[in-house]
Amino acid sequence: MGVTILTDLGMEILIPVCAVVGIAFSLFQWYLVSKVTVGTDKSHSSGDDKNGYAESLIEEEEGINDHNVVQKCAEIQNAISEGATSFLFTMYQYVGVFMVAFAILIFVFLGSVEGFSTKNQPCTYDSTKTCKPALATAVFSTVSFLLGAVTSVVSGFLGMKIATYANARTTLEARKGVGKAFIVAFRSGAVMGFLLAANGLLVLFITILLFKMYYGDDWEGLFEAITGYGLGGSSMALFGRVGGGIYTKAADVGADLVGKVERNIPEDDPRNPAVIADNVGDNVGDIAGMGSDLFGSYAESSCAALVVASISSFGVNHELTAMLYPLLVSSVGILVCLLTTLFATDFFEVKAVKEIEPALKKQLIISTILMTIGIAFVSWIALPSTFTIFNFGVQKEVKNWQLFLCVGVGLWAGLIIGFVTEYYTSNAYSPVQDVADSCRTGAATNVIFGLALGYKSVIIPIFAIAISIFVSFSFAAMYGIAVAALGMLSTIATGLAIDAYGPISDNAGGIAEMAGMSHRIRERTDALDAAGNTTAAIGKGFAIGSAALVSLALFGAFVSRAAISTVDVLTPKVFIGLLVGAMLPYWFSAMTMKSVGSAALKMVEEVRRQFNTIPGLMEGTAKPDYATCVKISTDASIKEMIPPGALVMLTPLIVGILFGVETLSGVLAGSLVSGVQIAISASNTGGAWDNAKKYIEAGASEHARTLGPKGSDAHKAAVIGDTVGDPLKDTSGPSLNILIKLMAVESLVFAPFFATHGGLLFKLF
């Protein structure tokens, strides 16, 4: 087929070097953040002018005791960090039990395909060759599942630790100016982004090399076993997203409804008993959950591409460099994101509030442009000029420039989805301003406008996804779609950095309010937070768009592996699957939203009880009982995350075993088509309501001032809209993208079992 410019040895050096550079860069960013001290020592007045620690503080001008403020910040930070850590440990204990049980299930199901035989067998796609026994696939799939799960858990946990480390530091830097606070929050986000991207890449690369020692030339079996890595990553992400989402929104809704609507006290007021639980929730839901989620997408898109490549000319001719092209794309992505990050922290400085959002948007644009060049370079050095790609039973000839276009179209589709999401959720544009305006006539019109905005915001992202699917499939079949998803996720380090920046800024604002800092500082943290809300929505847009492409690529790999020649919608077996699959996202959303509702109900009752029974709480002379609220959120989320998780994990198993692979292919297609639409509209509706509320609170324009101030009827209507949107944007919406990916990757892992033993009901009749 042709040789590649990059040798196998060069590739084996390049990938781990890029990963190590990513880890080193994240540790360096963490070191820079740690130079901001949260203590009472005055030793931090050395700095250079970029991170200038020597400037005079506003607090000193305003005569507030600096020592007390720093002490309070440190105490609040500790409370948030302890709450988040204890919740995650509790959750991981439950999830650990599930992980072991599911690992045993994988081993038993896949081992039984050939009756636990240890003899070599004819290969699935080329019966003239012999491949390793099914028992080996069972063992190695189980190992890679556990590896993926552990990497996912570690990614989420490290992200949470970094965020709780940085939140008070961002608050303290806000005393020197908005630019200083922005750099701390952004750097902390970068720590998480680079750690996650580099860890995911390094673990996957080492796993492939180790498995290769056993599999030798049987690449088909090797990369089939590697798919367990994606399954492990996503199954942990599901519980992290759902559990974290229920936790954060129960606290948020409880705090808002009683504090802001009933008692008329500001957001994050220390008198509010649910305030610590609310800030803990930002870290476990938006940081740990998001980290695990994007790690899952990354692992799955890599696995989908590797499975298809292993039965294409790369795998058949044992061209290792071309085979690991998806990992090379991710490696270059780390270097590109590293350069992009320097634009926000070192090359340009944010000096005013209005520069925050453009600085974050520039990150997306710069990383996309640089990555396009990076992909072109990788495609030139790592791919032969022509090669063949497996396309449902036939080999399709593809040129290297066509594969470059596949990755490129995914990358740019991601940028388009990001910007459309921003247009519909940022209060700088008319859609959110219209929603804010509708609050004049009460909460009902606010809800109507918000829902309409969410539905409308689906249109352009769906076209972007559809075009990228058509282009990439035309050029390189299912492999093209898998690398398009990888293209969208190639700048994951930057995407995660701007995503994690949001909750860190949100926490910083909460700490400023609780520590009793001046109004000017709260204004700065609010500005950081409003930009963070928009970037969080952009991050969710990326996650949903990439999930659509990933699950389609996994669906293609599943159809090939299960030896289905065509998926015919007109056959009753497939059509009933389509209908049921399209219903699943609604069932799942109903479960997660009801969970938030019932947990919030308990929270509201507890907050009301404390306000009514603790004397001096409203006057600020008595302290609220924060621990009870933290416990309510923890207990509710642990209990409530199990049913939605079980729905997603058991559906492919039940459908595959009872109804067979054709019905299962219908279920996967149906859940993909409806899940993407609901996920985009839910995330954007919630984001728009949140920013409409912030638009009224900030009162930055003449129009906003006519709706305000805080506590006005329009503001109360906006708070109700925001509260309705909370479970949509932070629980149901973001969890749905895991639903569509997870069902597809699970079906792929169990495909050999379903193909051999599935369809029991149809066999009986």
Side-chain angles (χ1 to χ4, degrees), residues 32 149 184 187 317 343 358 376 427 546 629 699:
L32 290 175
V184 171
R187 281 206 164 117
N317 304 332
F343 277 94
N427 54 27
S546 63
C629 291

Side-chain angles (χ1 to χ4, degrees), residues 564-587:
I564 306 170
S565 49
T566 53
V567 178
D568 184 358
V569 181
L570 294 176
T571 54
K573 277 185 191 178
V574 177
F575 194 76
I576 57 168
L578 270 176
L579 277 177
V580 172
M583 173 274 296
L584 284 172
Y586 290 93
W587 189 0

